[in-house]
Amino acid sequence: MKLITAVIKAHKLDDVRAALTWFGIRGMTITTVLGCGTEFWHTETYRGTRYISDLTSKIRIDIVTAETDVGDLVEVIAKAATTGGSGDGKIWVTPVDQVIRIRTGQYGPDAL
Ligand SMILES: Nc1ncnc2c1ncn2[C@@H]1O[C@H](COP(=O)(O)OP(=O)(O)OP(=O)(O)O)[C@@H](O)[C@H]1O
Ligand SMILES: [Mg+2]
């Protein structure tokens, strides 16, 4: 099993969720996060005051999935999250040792 983590633009969440649903993914964790990429910084105005910010609000999606689905899923997420501009996001994949469905006590891929 693998954990796919995607950090995407907030306004692309609906598109990515629709693509994931179409792919058959049901379980996922979605978090609002602050992040920065390779851009150095930009200025923002908040209540009339300008300040320098290097952090942007993004959506983080975590999906634990069978190893065989990783390639396709990464492609589906990347395609749905693309605007073509900078800051479209990043996807990374990490190994997962174990998953447990608390209600049934199932372990491993059966618990996904
Ligand atoms: N190396 C990294 N490690 C962890 N999170 C990252 C990393 N790079 C980017 N992120 C996360 O992804 C978000 C989007 O990154 P972003 O798409 O701007 O990356 P980038 O490398 O600057 O690419 P681009 O040139 O397309 O903007 C960041 O706000 C941050 O939350
Ligand atoms: Mg960037």
Side-chain angles (χ1 to χ4, degrees):
M1 291 172 293
K2 298 282 189 185
L3 168 65
I4 299 176
T5 303
V7 179
I8 62 164
K9 286 182 170 163
H11 70 89
K12 291 302 266 176
L13 176 59
D14 287 348
D15 287 347
V16 172
R17 275 213 73 187
L20 288 169
T21 303
W22 171 83
F23 190 85
I25 293 293
R26 281 167 297 175
M28 68 185 78
T29 300
I30 294 178
T31 323
T32 304
V33 293
L34 289 175
C36 54
T38 50
E39 294 77 22
F40 184 50
W41 52 264
H42 63 280
T43 58
E44 284 180 18
T45 305
Y46 180 69
R47 293 186 174 170
T49 307
R50 266 184 104 202
Y51 66 98
I52 293 171
S53 170
D54 61 352
L55 294 173
T56 314
S57 184
K58 298 277 180 185
I59 295 289
R60 172 178 170 148
I61 304 171
D62 288 292
I63 301 168
V64 181
T65 187
E67 205 156 338
T68 46
D69 284 339
V70 168
D72 289 344
L73 253 179
V74 166
E75 215 171 288
V76 162
I77 294 169
K79 193 172 167 214
T82 297
T83 69
S86 65
D88 269 358
K90 228 156 242 189
I91 303 171
W92 58 91
V93 180
T94 38
V96 171
D97 286 342
Q98 191 57 281
V99 177
I100 298 118
R101 176 177 282 126
I102 293 174
R103 177 176 59 84
T104 58
Q106 287 164 298
Y107 277 77
D110 290 345
L112 291 176

